[in-house]
Amino acid sequence: MNQEFMSALTELSASKNIDKEIIIETIERALLAAYKKNYGHTQNVEASIDRETGAVSLVQKKTVVDVVEDAQVEMELSEAQKIDATYQVGDIVPIQIVPKDFGRIAAQTAKQVVVQRINEAENEYAYEYYRDKENTLITGLITKVEQRAVSVQIDGDKEAEMPASEQMAGESYVPGKRMKFYVVGVKSSKEGPKLTLSRSHPGLVRRLFEQEVPEFSTGVVELKSIAREAGSRSKISVFSADANVDAVGSCVGPKGVRVQYVCDELNGEKIDIVKYFEDPVRFIQEALSPSEVVSVSVDEEAHAAHVVVPAHQLSLAIGKSGQNARLAAKLTGWKIDIKPEE
């Protein structure tokens, strides 16, 4: 290593935003490990790099003694005084080590460390970048479909994965198909950030509506809760503090274009949009739409609601396989027991 190497290191640390001193200290530790691997020991050996010239120095420190018991770490007084007559027993003598071929080993080691540190820095930067995308919407291209997972390419060359547990029931995934996904998790790894995507998460419904309905970004309309059975049906509750704003109408959009856009993105999944109420009775009534509700009585302690519906609408209120009642319970957070009117 030389001054040219140090100059290149300075430029590299600036361009990659890596602390130069950390790289040099890492190289010094790696040089010591390389010395031990090739020459057998590192007892009292220190490796250092001159910060200006790039010169590598290996020094072994030996203690001056009357009788040597371990030649690796000790030196007789007479030998020490040949180097410097002022040495006394107990003093530490630094001895320069110049192993054969170590210059070549040092250069290879430095290169490996620099490449590794650059990779680590780029992985750290990429992790920070994608961590900010957690719980957001992202567009990706399906590249590979396996039994347990779907591989998705995002941002041109980054690979992400959608495990079987995050896939929508009844939805087909074909290589070459471009879709929107919800980022459920980002983990750091040696190979770079690992992104887990989802098509079944309720957050996908939320982000699609937020993208399509400008009233959400302005804060005029709030999306209060979501209940979803992916691939089949979702219910969302919305609210506006402005009496002049129709929260449900904002989500439906002119001629239903906004909600239709979300349904299309979700492969035809049905979406019920209901008005949110602080009053649990009113909210449960809304949540059970399209069924009519005769009465709702709530048990605060059990956090349960007893609902009466017209007898001819019982099956509508409960829904196919109990889906409407199940989604209403998820949406409101209340246990719901539905009975027909007698």
Side-chain angles (χ1 to χ4, degrees), residues 167-179:
Q167 295 169 24
M168 264 173 64
E171 189 168 59
S172 63
Y173 304 108
V174 182
K177 188 175 183 180
R178 191 169 289 277
M179 305 179 85

Side-chain angles (χ1 to χ4, degrees), residues 146-162:
E146 295 177 337
Q147 200 169 16
R148 296 179 62 83
V150 173
S151 296
V152 181
Q153 191 178 69
I154 57 173
D155 294 339
D157 60 354
K158 176 67 186 165
E159 283 290 324
E161 186 180 88
M162 179 171 64

Side-chain angles (χ1 to χ4, degrees), residues 172-336:
S172 63
Y173 304 108
V174 182
K177 188 175 183 180
R178 191 169 289 277
M179 305 179 85
K180 286 185 169 66
F181 301 88
Y182 183 74
V183 183
V184 290
V186 180
K187 290 183 178 178
S188 180
S189 76
K190 288 182 180 179
E191 294 77 34
K194 300 286 186 184
L195 276 73
T196 302
L197 308 181
S198 178
R199 287 280 297 169
S200 64
H201 197 283
L204 180 63
V205 178
R206 175 182 290 275
R207 297 305 179 206
L208 285 170
F209 269 108
E210 288 175 347
Q211 178 181 275
E212 191 64 13
V213 181
E215 287 85 350
F216 284 131
S217 59
T218 60
V220 176
V221 175
E222 293 177 62
L223 201 162
K224 287 289 192 177
S225 59
I226 300 174
R228 187 180 186 205
E229 294 190 357
S232 177
R233 192 173 178 185
S234 287
K235 283 181 182 280
I236 71 168
S237 68
V238 293
F239 172 78
S240 177
D242 188 336
N244 297 315
V245 175
D246 177 3
V248 173
S250 296
C251 295
V252 172
K255 297 182 180 179
V257 293
R258 291 175 178 174
V259 69
Q260 190 58 52
Y261 162 80
V262 177
C263 289
D264 291 344
E265 285 289 343
L266 297 175
N267 198 31
E269 185 174 312
K270 292 181 176 66
I271 299 175
D272 298 337
I273 306 170
V274 303
K275 190 174 180 179
Y276 171 82
F277 289 94
E278 286 283 349
D279 175 13
V281 171
R282 295 287 304 278
F283 190 23
I284 291 165
Q285 285 177 332
E286 283 287 315
L288 283 167
S289 66
S291 169
E292 295 174 19
V293 174
V294 175
S295 66
V296 178
S297 59
V298 295
D299 180 342
E300 295 279 357
E301 190 175 332
H303 207 68
H306 303 283
V307 179
V308 176
V309 300
H312 69 280
Q313 293 213 350
L314 180 63
S315 60
L316 182 63
I318 294 172
K320 187 178 179 181
S321 303
Q323 186 183 61
N324 194 55
R326 197 163 54 245
L327 286 172
K330 285 182 186 176
L331 190 73
T332 60
W334 286 75
K335 296 174 187 174
I336 298 177

Side-chain angles (χ1 to χ4, degrees), residues 105-122:
I105 293 169
Q108 289 176 343
T109 302
K111 182 180 178 182
Q112 288 169 358
V113 168
V114 170
V115 169
Q116 182 182 352
R117 193 65 192 92
I118 289 171
N119 289 338
E120 288 172 358
E122 289 176 343

Side-chain angles (χ1 to χ4, degrees), residues 8 15 59 63 65-66 100 147 157-158 227:
S15 65
V59 173
T63 305
V65 294
D66 286 320
K100 186 182 179 183
Q147 200 169 16
D157 60 354
K158 176 67 186 165

